[in-house]
Structure formats: C-alpha cells, structure tokens
Amino acid sequence: MRIALRIALAASAALLTLGVAQAQEKTLRIGTEGAYPPFNNLTADGQLVGFDIDIAKALCDEMKVKCTFVAQDWDGIIPALQAGKFDAIVASMSITPERAEKVDFTHKYYNTPPAIVAPKDSDIKGVTKEDLAGKTIGVQGSTTHFNYSTATYTDSTIKPYPTAQEYQLDLANGRVDAVNDDITVLEGWLATPEGACCKVIGAIAPDIKIHGPGAGIAVRKGETELVNQFNAAIDAIRANGKYKEINDKYFKYDVYGGES
C-alpha cells in the first residue's frame, strides 16, 4: 500500500513539474513587417532587428514567455493575426478606430510625428496642402500616413507603395516629388548614403483622428488578458529603465512622446 502511495505521489509530482515547465515554456508568436527600419527590418541573413523587435523581446522577458518572430507583409498583417499565424503584432502599428474594429490594442509604446521629405533642390517650402499642390507624394499604402495624405493633399497625386524602401528608391530617382512617413523612419534613411539626396521639409502636426495616439501592440479581438499583460509589461520596462536602454540604442530622443 505504501509503495503504491509513493508511486502515485511521485507520478502526481512529475505531472505537476511537467505542467509548470510547460507553463514556463509558453511561446508567444510575434508578427512584424521586417521592412520598416529602424523599427523593424529583415537583415540579409534573415534576422529580424530593430526597435520593435528589441521592445517585443523585453516585453516577453517581463511577461516570462518565450518569443518567436514571424515576418509578414504589411497589407496582410491583420488578416494573418486573425487567422492565427501569430499571437500579436509588434510592427509600429498606429492605434486607430478603424483598426480597433478588427483587433484589440494595448496602450501606446511609442509616438513620433510624421514628416515630409523631398530632394535637397526641391522648391517645396512647407507641409501644407498648398505647399504640395501639384506634386506627386509617395507613401506606404494601408498606413495612417497614406490616409492622411489622401485626406489632406487633395491637390496632389498620392502614390502608394508596398514598403518604405520602394518609395525611398523612387524619391531618390526623381519619380516622386516628396514622401510622407514617420519622421524617425525618414531621418534614419536620410542618414544613409541612399538618403543623401534628400532633406526633411518639415514635421506634420499629427491629426489624432487619423494618426491616433501612437503605435500599439495588436492582438485578436477579445484577448483582454493578453492586452493587460502587455500593458503591465510596457509600464514595467518604462519604469525599470529597459525602455530607455532600447530607446537610446536607436534614437537620440525619447520616442515614447507625452504621457497621453
């Protein structure tokens, strides 16, 4: 009887240990674009790098889960999340009412303004509708910057691109007159040999109705517990200095923005 009891207790302990181990080995699959440096980019050897990637890794460490990453084209990133290809999107996705109908968002993890960039010899003087009248503006499609451009620059031709790299190439080669994107992305490109052609014309005051309050992490609708875990982890890395460490690796200023 005692032997049988000991065997039963040992078996129970083994199952409990296995259960704890499985809980500790939980894997969170993170979807990102891999074509939006310095936030996320796919290197020549197939590694995902950038601010978004480092932030996601820090959040997973804080949540005590293992992270894996999946590169996904921007246009299909929300459908891929909904289809279960990954569990969360960490890809500089602006929080907007339109997207919030399809996914649930955390609060922001950064917020930087958009800007207009043009060739150094451009006659464009500012970022208003009048300044850009008659010009062709390149912008990544399916983004808040595309939505803002089409709503604001109604006297301009708006040319959408699948990725930032493609509009950058066309601007450098004179196929568009200006481009609109996040100022941090544009400044990062201008600092490269490929971006030496061009300059920042000016920052655009964000339109909260179009640009939203910043970039957040997206999860499938109804996954409130995961949203809460991410929110707690964002607050924790902001408080313990990890966020600043990652921020300072990529930027010379705090990209989090105001405490809104």
Side-chain angles (χ1 to χ4, degrees):
M1 182 68 72
R2 289 181 180 177
I3 293 174
L5 180 58
R6 287 174 185 169
I7 292 172
L9 289 172
S12 297
L15 288 172
L16 180 60
T17 301
L18 179 61
V20 171
Q22 287 175 335
Q24 290 173 341
E25 292 169 2
K26 179 182 177 182
T27 298
L28 201 60
R29 297 164 300 162
I30 305 294
T32 195
E33 183 185 11
Y36 198 59
F39 292 102
N40 59 77
N41 195 34
L42 197 61
T43 65
D45 62 352
Q47 299 298 307
L48 281 162
V49 298
F51 178 79
D52 286 332
I53 309 307
D54 287 357
I55 287 291
K57 288 177 179 177
L59 295 176
C60 287
D61 286 346
E62 189 67 35
M63 295 160 61
K64 294 181 172 54
V65 297
K66 179 183 177 183
C67 266
T68 60
F69 292 90
V70 180
Q72 170 67 49
D73 289 345
W74 180 256
D75 284 347
I77 203 164
I78 287 179
L81 172 70
Q82 293 171 325
K85 187 174 179 179
F86 34 80
D87 304 301
I89 297 171
V90 185
S92 295
M93 180 172 283
S94 297
I95 303 164
T96 67
E98 179 184 9
R99 289 173 179 155
E101 293 177 0
K102 302 174 183 177
V103 299
D104 284 345
F105 280 105
T106 64
H107 53 235
K108 72 172 185 178
Y109 64 97
Y110 82 84
N111 188 18
T112 49
I116 295 292
V117 159
K120 288 179 177 176
D121 60 357
S122 174
D123 61 355
I124 299 171
K125 304 300 183 185
V127 301
T128 67
K129 173 183 175 180
E130 292 73 23
D131 290 323
L132 287 149
K135 304 297 186 182
T136 299
I137 304 170
V139 62
Q140 186 174 4
S142 302
T143 65
T144 55
H145 307 297
F146 176 77
N147 294 341
Y148 179 86
S149 293
T150 54
T152 303
Y153 301 122
T154 52
D155 294 331
S156 305
T157 300
I158 309 304
K159 187 175 180 181
Y161 290 84
T163 68
Q165 286 93 333
E166 288 167 275
Y167 74 61
Q168 291 165 1
L169 182 63
D170 269 11
L171 181 63
N173 286 287
R175 289 189 282 267
V176 294
D177 300 303
V179 296
N180 176 15
D181 206 336
D182 185 286
I183 193 169
T184 310
V185 171
L186 293 171
E187 287 181 338
W189 175 63
L190 294 178
T192 68
E194 294 76 16
C197 59
C198 303
K199 64 181 180 180
V200 174
I201 299 297
I204 297 169
D207 183 333
I208 190 70
K209 293 180 181 178
I210 297 177
H211 296 108
I217 297 167
V219 304
R220 284 181 287 275
K221 293 294 288 185
E223 297 193 353
T224 306
E225 182 179 352
L226 186 54
V227 168
N228 292 339
Q229 289 173 345
F230 271 123
N231 280 337
I234 292 169
D235 293 342
I237 66 170
R238 286 282 297 166
N240 66 21
K242 186 63 179 179
Y243 185 97
K244 185 178 187 305
E245 176 187 326
I246 297 169
N247 183 102
D248 294 352
K249 175 180 173 182
Y250 294 95
F251 311 113
K252 295 180 180 179
Y253 48 89
D254 184 4
V255 296
Y256 188 77
E259 294 298 327
S260 60

